[in-house]
Amino acid sequence: MERLAIIGDVHGCVKSLRALLDILPPRHQIYQLGDLIDRGPDSRAVVALAKERGLSCVLGNHEWLMLTGHHPGLPNHESWLANGGGDTLRNYRSHDELLELVESVRSFPLFIDIEQPGGTNLLISHAGVRKGLSLKDSIDLLHAPGPQQVMMSILWNRGRVHLDGHFVVFGHSPVVKPVLTPHYANIDTGCVYRRQLTALLLPEREFIQVPFQD
Ligand SMILES: [Mn+2]
């Protein structure tokens, strides 16, 4: 089976990301769970580093907020600014420069589903799939009319995570220590809150961490 390293929420902490990449074992394909940007010191450098190192990134709720709110005319502009988008904006001198970032995250998928031997798939997704929902439902909720429904979607869910036939790796909801169960792992250890940046190695199911260093 392919060896993988999956990295949690980075939020502009480029020095922490570089330090973690430096200690990951070789021959692991590197994935990232979304929320590369916002809140931290240098979202621009984080996205550039992810690109340079060939990371496979999925979309986070922060990239989604930026895609739907990077311009004052867009519906989530205030919401993006209020959720750390202002920190990302400070890394850019003009809106045209920012558009390069917007275009580079536009192609991030909402999830990556990888077949594994033994019949359990690996799902890499920013907030996981809420227990009781199908993968399709959790995606459709992103476009639901009410904010409460959107909050249950694949990018915003903070409820219990479960998807039949899958081991789900997600971030989004910071935990003091990474959580590992037979059915899921939460590896958002709150780097931008001066805690840790975590990677999960598969198939080893081991964690590698660096302390915040931005
Ligand atoms: Mn996050």
Side-chain angles (χ1 to χ4, degrees):
M1 125 180 221
E2 187 190 13
R3 290 175 183 273
L4 320 174
I6 308 169
I7 298 174
D9 299 41
V10 178
H11 286 300
C13 296
V14 69
K15 291 178 184 166
S16 308
L17 176 60
R18 191 171 285 119
L20 181 61
L21 290 172
D22 283 350
I23 60 168
L24 289 181
R27 296 186 302 279
H28 282 61
Q29 173 67 34
I30 306 172
Y31 293 83
Q32 198 279 331
L33 282 173
D35 284 6
L36 287 172
I37 64 164
D38 294 351
R39 296 204 169 111
D42 203 340
S43 295
R44 181 181 196 164
V46 165
V47 175
L49 182 61
K51 208 169 174 180
E52 179 193 315
R53 301 286 183 96
L55 271 57
S56 301
C57 304
V58 297
L59 203 70
N61 63 310
H62 282 264
E63 284 83 17
W64 183 83
L65 276 178
M66 180 180 71
L67 287 171
T68 57
H70 60 85
H71 190 275
L74 290 168
N76 282 321
H77 188 61
E78 295 304 320
S79 181
W80 180 52
L81 293 182
N83 283 283
D87 299 305
T88 299
L89 266 185
R90 275 192 280 282
N91 302 149
Y92 292 86
R93 284 166 304 185
S94 69
H95 193 73
D96 280 352
E97 275 189 9
L98 178 72
L99 284 179
E100 278 180 39
L101 174 76
V102 172
E103 287 316 310
S104 57
V105 310
R106 198 182 290 284
S107 58
F108 290 3
L110 283 173
F111 65 89
I112 297 173
D113 193 343
I114 302 174
E115 259 186 57
Q116 308 274 268
T120 298
N121 279 24
L122 169 66
L123 187 82
I124 298 171
S125 134
H126 182 63
V129 173
R130 194 183 183 94
K131 187 176 164 70
L133 294 179
S134 68
L135 180 57
K136 182 182 183 303
D137 287 342
S138 81
I139 293 166
D140 289 348
L141 282 172
L142 253 188
H143 309 288
Q148 280 177 324
Q149 292 161 294
V150 175
M151 294 307 279
M152 288 162 49
S153 71
I154 189 163
L155 293 185
W156 292 90
N157 168 52
R158 293 202 194 273
R160 192 158 163 214
V161 169
H162 185 89
L163 184 62
D164 282 341
H166 288 77
F167 179 70
V168 185
V169 183
F170 63 96
H172 182 57
S173 295
V175 282
V176 175
K177 284 181 6 185
V179 176
L180 179 64
T181 81
H183 301 290
Y184 64 81
N186 177 356
I187 59 168
D188 178 9
T189 44
C191 184
V192 75
Y193 304 114
R194 302 179 168 269
R195 304 216 293 251
Q196 313 267 328
L197 184 63
T198 298
L200 171 65
L201 304 182
L202 294 174
E204 301 93 327
R205 295 202 179 190
E206 286 167 9
F207 297 111
I208 293 193
Q209 298 187 295
V210 292
F212 168 85
Q213 41 207 277
D214 283 77

